[in-house]
């Protein structure tokens, strides 16, 4: 079974540009979560998609947005990039509760975004 | 809201036992998870507790006390490869999503 896949692995952008990060969940998982992990900080919750809809977003500005496609894959878009957006962006997927509760989330390897 | 606290760093010796503590506050509780994250890699699932008590899985065990808002991860027979960050995460709150602590960086020394 393929795990959660994210692309690209690394991304370098200039301040003010836009970045698009992609995530494919494990087959059968309908929920996709996005987290930001800045250097030295914990995982900060960004967005949660389930069944194509945004279910919840964390305390991030509106320039962080995304969507979930009918095949449950997801995109994270970051507009007007700032230097402090440099971080590892992790995507995770899960089954809908109750089946998914026991095993939490399965994470992808992340996209390392560097803003210069 | 939710709040999760765990030590920032710990050091232990190869072959020894180490206990990583986690305290939490949440307005709804649907389970506590421990993840392991090696530098530059994705977090990987270690354990899940939803009822009070100890869950054992090989060299790793996790304990939960819901009344105290407290959990610990116990690592036995430490190996060098156990050097990693250990993330405590709580599922709960109004939206039932997983909220992570900042992680404990464990260094295992020879």
């Amino acid at each position: 079974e393929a795990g959660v896949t994210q692309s690209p692995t690394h991304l370098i952008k200039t301040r003010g540009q836009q970045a698009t990060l992609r995530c494919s969940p494990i087959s059968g998982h309908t929920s996709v979560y996005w987290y930001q992990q800045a250097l030295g900080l914990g995982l900060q919750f960004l967005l949660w998609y389930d069944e194509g809809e945004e279910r919840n977003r964390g305390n991030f500005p509106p320039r962080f947005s995304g969507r979930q496609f009918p095949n449950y894959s997801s995109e994270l878009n970051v507009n007007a990039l700032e230097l402090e957006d440099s971080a590892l962006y992790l995507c995770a997927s899960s089954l809908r509760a109750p089946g998914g509760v026991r095993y939490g989330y399965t994470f992808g390897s992340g996209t390392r975004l560097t803003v210069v | 809201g939710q709040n999760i606290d765990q030590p920032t760093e710990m050091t232990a010796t190869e072959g020894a036992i180490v206990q990583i503590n986690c305290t939490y506050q949440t307005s709804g509780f649907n389970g506590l998870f421990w993840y392991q994250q090696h530098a530059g890699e994705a977090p990987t699932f270690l354990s899940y507790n939803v009822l009070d008590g100890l869950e054992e899985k090989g060299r790793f065990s996790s304990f939960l006390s819901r009344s105290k808002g407290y959990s610990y991860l116990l690592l036995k027979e430490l190996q060098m490869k156990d050097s990693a960050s250990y993330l405590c995460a709580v599922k709960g709150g109004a939206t039932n999503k997983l909220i992570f602590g900042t992680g404990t960086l464990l260094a295992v020394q020879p």
Side-chain angles (χ1 to χ4, degrees):
Chain A
E1 174 184 84
V4 177
T5 57
Q6 291 187 246
S7 63
T9 306
H10 293 84
L11 190 59
I12 300 175
K13 291 285 187 178
T14 304
R15 191 171 55 183
Q17 285 187 315
Q18 179 201 37
T20 299
L21 288 64
R22 296 180 177 83
C23 172
S24 292
I26 289 175
S27 178
H29 286 193
T30 62
S31 283
V32 170
Y33 309 83
W34 288 94
Y35 286 84
Q36 182 196 65
Q37 188 175 34
L39 193 63
L41 299 180
L43 275 72
Q44 302 295 314
F45 170 74
L46 267 166
L47 289 159
W48 169 21
Y49 292 96
D50 183 68
E51 297 283 357
E53 293 190 13
E54 181 180 302
R55 300 295 184 181
N56 194 242
R57 67 178 294 126
N59 189 26
F60 281 83
R63 57 191 186 82
F64 286 84
S65 65
R67 53 180 172 167
Q68 186 178 34
F69 299 98
N71 66 354
Y72 303 117
S73 66
S74 177
E75 259 181 16
L76 173 69
N77 295 295
V78 188
N79 294 321
L81 284 166
E82 300 179 2
L83 296 178
E84 51 264 36
D85 296 333
S86 295
L88 180 67
Y89 289 83
L90 291 164
C91 169
S93 72
S94 75
L95 292 167
R96 295 187 73 184
V101 172
R102 175 66 176 82
Y103 296 101
Y105 302 171
T106 302
F107 283 87
S109 297
T111 294
R112 172 115 6 230
L113 173 64
T114 302
V115 182
V116 297
Chain B
Q2 293 172 285
N3 188 48
I4 300 171
D5 289 311
Q6 49 182 133
T8 304
E9 295 180 356
M10 297 183 71
T11 302
T13 305
E14 192 176 15
I17 299 173
V18 70
Q19 177 175 313
I20 302 174
N21 296 323
C22 171
T23 58
Y24 66 89
Q25 294 175 309
T26 181
S27 58
F29 180 79
N30 199 20
L32 186 143
F33 297 80
W34 284 95
Y35 281 81
Q36 180 191 62
Q37 186 179 25
H38 285 99
E41 298 182 9
T44 55
F45 169 81
L46 286 178
S47 69
Y48 167 74
N49 295 70
V50 68
L51 300 176
D52 290 352
L54 189 68
E55 292 276 345
E56 298 186 79
K57 189 187 294 184
R59 295 190 297 115
F60 293 7
S61 303
S62 57
F63 171 83
L64 175 67
S65 169
R66 288 172 298 170
S67 63
K68 296 181 179 177
Y70 167 70
S71 172
Y72 68 72
L73 179 70
L74 193 71
L75 291 75
K76 304 176 185 176
E77 301 170 15
L78 280 172
Q79 302 175 9
M80 298 300 290
K81 67 179 182 179
D82 297 329
S83 294
S85 279
Y86 291 85
L87 311 176
C88 174
V90 173
K91 194 173 179 80
T95 58
N96 205 33
K97 61 182 181 285
L98 207 57
I99 299 298
F100 285 82
T102 54
T104 299
L105 182 61
L106 173 66
V108 180
Q109 299 178 338

